[in-house]
Amino acid sequence: MKNIVLLTGSSHPKLARKISETLGVELSECKLGKFSNQETSVEIKSSVREKHVYIIQSGCGRVNDNLIELFILIQACRMGSAKRITVVTPLFPYSRQSEKSQRKRLPQHQIGSEIMNSLTHNNESSPTMPQGVFAQSFMGMSSAEGGYREWCARAGTLVSNLLQAAGTDHLIAMDLHDPQYQGFFQIPVDLIYAEPCITQWIRSEITNWRQAVVVSPDAGGAKRATSICNKLNLDFALIHKEDLGNTKESMGLVGEVNGRPAIILDDMIDSGSTIGLASEILKRHGASEIYAIAVHGVFSGPALEIINKSPVDIVACTNTVPQEDFRKQCPKLRTIDIAPMLAEIIRRTFYGESVTQLFVHDEQF
């Protein structure tokens, strides 16, 4: 591949090296660091003039520092007369911060006691979940009565505008938490999916996968789960909210999992609360084995502690976020490698081939 340059930021260099090895293209040398006043320093050591540059940077770790680093990398390539600049963000930064989804997010210190009590005390026969502050927030309930409507900043929209202003010509992003952000760009966006890698992992790692039930932990993820069901010809179940009256809500299960393996499918594991609550419901309904699969394994706050104490047997996440440190703390974690798929998508976009065909025909990597 001629006239292509691969650059990586500080967020996930191991993934970038795997992509480079798969493509057979060396990563271009780039000096990244900080000045004494903590401003970001970027220095590209090789020429990018009239070349197609791919910058690989995931929205994980020190997100704000990595985001500024990405902007400066893009601007450095633009000033270096790059012919075309493509940003590859396996995890798009700030993609969760839409007005609606942000209202349901609480500081991590509010998560601990209610979820941990739910997972460590399983004496109740009813699948009703805790009804405290966090549980209510998780289920979309608001403790305030009337009054002024709170407005939240749409930071994801701002990030999309900044990426374009820095000089991005093309964006590749995987499984956006809020797909609406794809429409905020004036440049071409290739929204790709980890579904082919996930279905391959299910076939190879779950011995009795043909008897399994795919479970969506909420109504918003039903489309993702049913797509996997259709690919593998599996049954579907849904965890949903039940109205108990008097402004109370609880979690309920639609579908049959008794005596069968259950596969919880979600796009992201952040605080671990969704997996913790969903796995307890499935266990109480008689699931023989419980697997949890997510595209992005962020694992912030007490997430790993919640997973370790939950009934989940195995949790599998792709490596859009570095997983090495997480796996040391949680023996249940497994990693699904997406580097070959990202490498193939980079190759196809470089040569002007179709990206959609990868997902239409569910090709194997």
Side-chain angles (χ1 to χ4, degrees), residues 125-136:
S125 59
S126 168
T128 301
M129 290 292 99
Q131 296 298 322
V133 175
F134 175 75
Q136 292 179 0

Side-chain angles (χ1 to χ4, degrees), residues 188-262:
V189 177
D190 279 319
L191 180 56
I192 61 176
Y193 304 95
E195 184 178 286
C197 299
I198 290 174
T199 55
Q200 184 177 358
W201 187 89
I202 291 173
R203 291 189 186 107
S204 61
E205 300 297 328
I206 302 178
T207 53
N208 54 344
W209 64 269
R210 296 181 187 278
Q211 288 75 47
V213 180
V214 178
V215 182
S216 174
D218 51 47
K223 183 177 180 180
R224 182 183 307 106
T226 53
S227 179
I228 296 287
C229 290
N230 293 335
K231 290 284 194 309
L232 299 176
N233 194 27
L234 299 178
D235 291 336
F236 171 73
L238 172 69
I239 294 174
H240 74 114
K241 292 183 289 187
E242 294 178 333
D243 187 1
L244 302 179
N246 297 324
T247 69
K248 293 183 179 180
E249 293 186 358
S250 181
M251 307 297 288
L253 177 68
V254 177
E256 181 58 50
V257 298
N258 187 33
R260 303 171 65 182

Side-chain angles (χ1 to χ4, degrees), residues 9-25:
S10 303
S11 64
H12 203 343
K14 184 175 181 179
L15 176 63
R17 286 194 294 270
K18 287 185 176 181
I19 294 172
S20 170
E21 291 170 1
T22 304
L23 285 172
V25 177

Side-chain angles (χ1 to χ4, degrees), residues 35-335:
F35 294 110
S36 58
N37 63 352
Q38 296 305 301
E39 291 181 352
T40 299
S41 168
V42 171
E43 185 178 352
I44 300 173
K45 296 292 188 178
S46 56
S47 174
V48 298
R49 184 178 296 275
E50 292 301 312
K51 294 183 179 180
H52 191 159
V53 180
Y54 288 86
I55 304 174
I56 303 167
Q57 183 82 309
S58 196
C60 57
R62 306 178 72 168
V63 179
N64 295 327
D65 283 346
N66 293 335
L67 190 57
I68 292 297
E69 183 181 83
L70 175 60
F71 294 149
I72 298 175
L73 273 168
I74 296 168
Q75 185 68 6
C77 293
R78 179 59 64 202
M79 294 297 100
S81 300
K83 184 177 182 180
R84 183 176 171 86
I85 301 172
T86 296
V87 173
V88 182
T89 56
L91 172 56
F92 186 77
Y94 284 83
S95 65
R96 296 184 69 191
Q97 294 205 27
S98 66
E99 181 183 4
K100 182 177 179 181
S101 65
Q102 200 168 346
R103 291 200 197 110
K104 297 184 180 181
R105 299 175 66 185
L106 289 178
Q108 297 298 331
H109 69 272
Q110 298 187 34
I111 295 176
S113 60
E114 295 179 34
I115 301 301
M116 297 307 297
N117 288 337
S118 171
L119 296 174
T120 54
H121 299 86
N122 294 320
N123 297 325
E124 300 180 11
S125 59
S126 168
T128 301
M129 290 292 99
Q131 296 298 322
V133 175
F134 175 75
Q136 292 179 0
S137 174
F138 171 76
M139 294 181 283
M141 300 171 65
S142 174
S143 58
E145 295 182 2
Y148 177 73
R149 177 186 175 187
E150 294 183 1
W151 293 91
C152 301
R154 297 173 181 174
T157 311
L158 174 62
V159 170
S160 67
N161 291 335
L162 290 173
L163 282 170
Q164 294 172 98
T168 306
D169 296 307
H170 176 217
L171 176 72
I172 299 174
M174 174 170 282
D175 283 279
L176 287 174
H177 183 76
D178 286 322
Q180 61 190 357
Y181 285 125
Q182 185 179 6
F184 296 142
F185 285 92
Q186 303 298 319
I187 58 175
V189 177
D190 279 319
L191 180 56
I192 61 176
Y193 304 95
E195 184 178 286
C197 299
I198 290 174
T199 55
Q200 184 177 358
W201 187 89
I202 291 173
R203 291 189 186 107
S204 61
E205 300 297 328
I206 302 178
T207 53
N208 54 344
W209 64 269
R210 296 181 187 278
Q211 288 75 47
V213 180
V214 178
V215 182
S216 174
D218 51 47
K223 183 177 180 180
R224 182 183 307 106
T226 53
S227 179
I228 296 287
C229 290
N230 293 335
K231 290 284 194 309
L232 299 176
N233 194 27
L234 299 178
D235 291 336
F236 171 73
L238 172 69
I239 294 174
H240 74 114
K241 292 183 289 187
E242 294 178 333
D243 187 1
L244 302 179
N246 297 324
T247 69
K248 293 183 179 180
E249 293 186 358
S250 181
M251 307 297 288
L253 177 68
V254 177
E256 181 58 50
V257 298
N258 187 33
R260 303 171 65 182
I263 304 173
I264 305 171
L265 194 65
D266 208 352
D267 69 319
M268 181 181 295
I269 301 178
D270 187 359
S271 66
S273 57
T274 302
I275 299 300
L277 292 170
S279 63
E280 186 168 340
I281 289 176
L282 294 172
K283 194 67 175 179
R284 290 175 178 178
H285 282 81
S288 61
E289 300 170 82
I290 301 175
Y291 300 87
I293 302 176
V295 179
H296 310 295
V298 179
F299 302 112
S300 59
L304 294 176
E305 185 180 0
I306 290 174
I307 290 172
N308 281 331
K309 293 185 178 181
S310 73
V312 175
D313 296 297
I314 292 177
V315 177
C317 298
T318 70
N319 53 345
T320 57
V321 175
Q323 298 293 306
E324 290 75 19
D325 292 339
F326 298 143
R327 292 183 66 172
K328 294 176 182 177
Q329 301 175 55
C330 181
K332 297 181 179 181
L333 288 184
R334 305 291 186 271
T335 302

